C-alpha cells in the first residue's frame, strides 16, 4: 500500500511516498481504508520537531481522516466492514497516521459517519472539533457534553473565527444554542465567520474592539474560545462577565507566556482554562466524540466555501505541499485525497 512517512524530523522535505506492507487489525482494532486525510498545525509541528527527534520507527503523519472500515479485529462489535467512519488522534503516540491508504487503530478511534456526512467533513472533525468542544465545555455551568440547548442563554466569543478550530467552535456553539461573536482580521474572514453561523463579527484590527464587543454583550461574554492569549488576554478580561471562562488552545508562534491581568481576573472570578485535546481525560474525550458525531449527524458541522471553511486539496504524493500550506497559514481546511 502507498504511505507517506518520515524517519527524521525536519522541514517538509523529510516526507517521502513509498510502499508499506498492508497492516491487519488485532483484537479491539479496525482497519480503515482512508479516502481523505486532514492536515492540522499539530501535524506539521510534530514533523518539524515539536516531539521526539529520534524516531524508533518511520512515522506516518496526520491525525485526522475519513474512510471505510474494511477489516475488523476480534471483539469489535460496534463497527463492521463497509462502515463509513471518521478517525481521530490516529498518529498520537502511534507511528500510523492517516497519510496512507490503510490505517489500523483502536475501534474507539473510528466513529461512524451519519448518512449525508461527507468524507471531507469527517476528515475535518478530529483535532479542530474536539478542541472546540473542550473549550466550549470548560465553563463550570455548562454540561460536559454539548447538545441542543446546552449553551442556551450563553454568549460565546470565538477569537480567530475563520480558523479551523474557530469555525468548529462557531458551529458547535450555535448548534448548542449560544449567541456567538467572532473576531477576525479582514472583511473576507468576516464573511467566512458569518457563513459558519456567527451571529456577530468584529474586526479586531479596527479601534475600540472591546467597546464593539461590549455593545453586543452588555452583561459580558460567558465563554471565550481563545487562539492567542498573549495578544488577547487584556481584551478577554475586559469583555467577559463575572464567572466567565477563557479557554485557550493555542498562542502566537514562538510565544510561551501570556500576561494575564490577575487582579481584574480575580474581581470577575474568571476561570482561565488551557487545553490540549490529546491529554484530556478519557471521559472528556468520549463526551466530545459523541457530541461531534451528533452535531455532524444534525448537519451542524458542514465544510466548504458556503459554510465558511474553504477546502484546499492535494493528492497523497503532494503531502509535503499540504503541510507547507498549513504552515504558511492557508485559510480554511487543507485535505489530502488518499483514494
Amino acid at each position: 500500500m502507498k504511505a507517506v512517512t518520515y524517519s527524521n524530523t525536519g522541514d517538509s522535505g523529510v516526507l517521502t511516498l513509498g510502499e508499506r506492507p498492508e497492516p491487519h487489525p488485532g483484537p479491539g482494532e479496525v482497519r480503515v481504508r482512508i479516502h481523505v486525510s486532514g492536515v492540522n498545525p499539530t501535524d506539521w509541528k510534530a514533523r518539524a520537531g515539536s516531539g521526539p527527534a529520534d524516531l524508533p520507527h518511520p512515522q506516518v503523519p496526520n491525525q485526522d481522516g475519513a474512510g471505510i472500515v474494511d477489516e475488523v479485529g476480534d471483539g469489535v462489535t460496534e463497527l463492521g466492514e463497509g462502515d463509513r467512519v471518521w478517525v481521530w488522534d490516529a498518529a498520537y503516540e502511534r507511528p500510523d497516521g492517516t497519510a496512507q491508504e490503510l490505517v489500523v487503530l483502536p475501534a474507539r478511534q473510528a466513529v461512524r459517519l451519519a448518512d449525508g456526512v461527507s468524507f471531507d467533513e469527517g476528515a475535518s472533525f478530529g483535532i479542530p472539533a474536539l478542541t472546540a468542544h473542550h473549550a466550549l465545555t470548560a465553563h463550570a455551568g455548562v454540561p460536559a457534553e454539548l447538545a441542543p440547548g446546552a449553551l442556551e442563554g450563553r454568549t460565546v466569543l470565538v477569537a480567530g473565527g475563520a480558523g479551523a478550530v474557530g469555525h468548529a467552535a462557531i458551529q458547535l456553539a450555535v448548534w448548542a444554542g449560544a449567541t456567538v461573536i467572532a473576531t477576525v482580521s479582514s472583511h473576507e474572514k468576516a464573511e467566512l465567520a458569518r457563513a459558519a453561523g456567527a451571529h456577530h463579527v468584529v474586526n479586531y484590527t479596527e479601534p475600540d474592539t472591546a467597546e464593539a464587543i461590549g455593545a453586543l454583550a452588555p452583561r459580558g461574554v460567558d465563554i471565550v474560545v481563545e487562539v492567542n492569549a498573549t495578544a488577547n488576554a487584556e481584551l478577554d478580561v475586559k469583555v467577559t462577565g463575572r464567572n466567565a471562562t477563557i479557554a485557550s488552545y493555542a498562542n502566537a508562534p514562538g510565544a510561551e507566556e501570556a500576561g494575564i491581568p490577575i487582579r481584574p481576573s480575580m474581581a470577575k472570578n474568571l476561570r482561565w482554562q488551557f487545553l490540549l485535546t490529546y491529554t484530556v481525560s478519557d471521559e472528556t474525550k468520549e463526551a466530545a466524540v459523541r457530541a461531534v458525531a451528533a452535531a455532524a449527524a444534525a448537519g451542524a458541522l458542514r465544510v466548504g466555501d458556503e459554510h465558511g471553511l474553504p477546502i484546499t486539496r492535494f493528492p497523497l504524493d503532494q503531502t509535503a505541499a499540504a503541510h507547507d500550506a498549513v504552515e504558511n497559514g492557508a485559510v480554511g481546511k487543507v485535505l489530502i485525497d488518499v483514494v
Side-chain angles (χ1 to χ4, degrees):
M1 68 164 185
K2 291 183 174 62
V4 172
T5 62
Y6 59 97
S7 297
N8 302 288
T9 57
D11 63 24
S12 63
V14 302
L15 296 170
T16 60
L17 177 66
E19 293 285 337
R20 305 182 82 195
E22 289 191 3
H24 297 281
E29 296 179 329
V30 297
R31 186 174 79 175
V32 178
R33 184 169 294 277
I34 297 294
H35 284 236
V36 181
S37 175
V39 186
N40 298 288
T42 186
D43 299 315
W44 74 257
K45 290 176 182 177
R47 183 222 70 227
S50 65
D54 297 325
L55 303 179
H57 308 285
Q59 177 70 50
V60 178
N62 301 358
Q63 301 288 351
D64 298 339
I68 297 175
V69 174
D70 75 346
E71 196 171 322
V72 176
D74 291 342
V76 175
T77 58
E78 62 271 32
L79 292 171
E81 293 182 17
D83 284 344
R84 300 167 63 254
V85 295
W86 59 280
V87 305
W88 51 270
D89 287 10
Y92 179 61
E93 297 185 337
R94 302 174 65 254
D96 289 303
T98 61
Q100 58 184 335
E101 292 181 312
L102 298 167
V103 63
V104 168
L105 70 172
R108 67 185 285 265
Q109 290 177 237
V111 186
R112 188 177 285 107
L113 281 170
D115 292 343
V117 180
S118 70
F119 287 138
D120 283 2
E121 288 163 346
S124 302
F125 298 158
I127 298 296
L130 298 178
T131 297
H133 185 276
H134 188 27
L136 291 168
T137 56
H139 192 285
V142 170
E145 183 173 336
L146 293 181
L151 296 179
E152 195 71 41
R154 306 284 185 185
T155 299
V156 173
L157 174 63
V158 178
V165 175
H167 177 266
I170 291 169
Q171 291 184 321
L172 284 171
V174 170
W175 174 68
T179 297
V180 179
I181 304 169
T183 58
V184 297
S185 60
S186 68
H187 171 75
E188 292 76 16
K189 290 182 178 180
E191 292 306 307
L192 295 178
R194 290 190 182 95
H199 300 96
H200 309 285
V201 182
V202 174
N203 188 328
Y204 65 78
T205 67
E206 297 177 358
D208 301 323
T209 301
E211 182 178 338
I213 295 171
L216 297 169
R219 65 174 182 80
V221 170
D222 298 296
I223 302 167
V224 179
V225 180
E226 183 55 74
V227 68
N228 188 349
T230 296
N232 298 331
E234 185 175 346
L235 171 66
D236 291 341
V237 172
K238 285 181 179 179
V239 302
T240 45
R242 291 182 178 178
N243 303 302
T245 293
I246 302 166
S248 176
Y249 66 89
N251 207 5
E256 295 295 332
E257 298 179 358
I260 296 175
I262 301 298
R263 182 61 63 175
S265 295
M266 292 172 60
K268 290 185 175 181
N269 282 291
L270 299 183
R271 170 186 290 189
W272 285 84
Q273 173 72 55
F274 296 94
L275 58 96
L276 182 69
T277 183
Y278 297 129
T279 55
V280 300
S281 68
D282 288 345
E283 294 80 7
T284 297
K285 181 60 75 70
E286 294 296 343
V289 169
R290 288 192 300 268
V292 168
L301 290 175
R302 299 298 190 190
V303 303
D305 289 350
E306 67 273 32
H307 302 293
L309 194 71
I311 302 298
T312 303
R313 316 190 74 90
F314 294 88
L316 185 63
D317 63 2
Q318 293 182 25
T319 295
H323 274 222
D324 288 343
V326 175
E327 183 174 1
N328 292 328
V331 175
K333 188 67 184 178
V334 172
L335 299 177
I336 294 170
D337 291 311
V338 180
V339 174

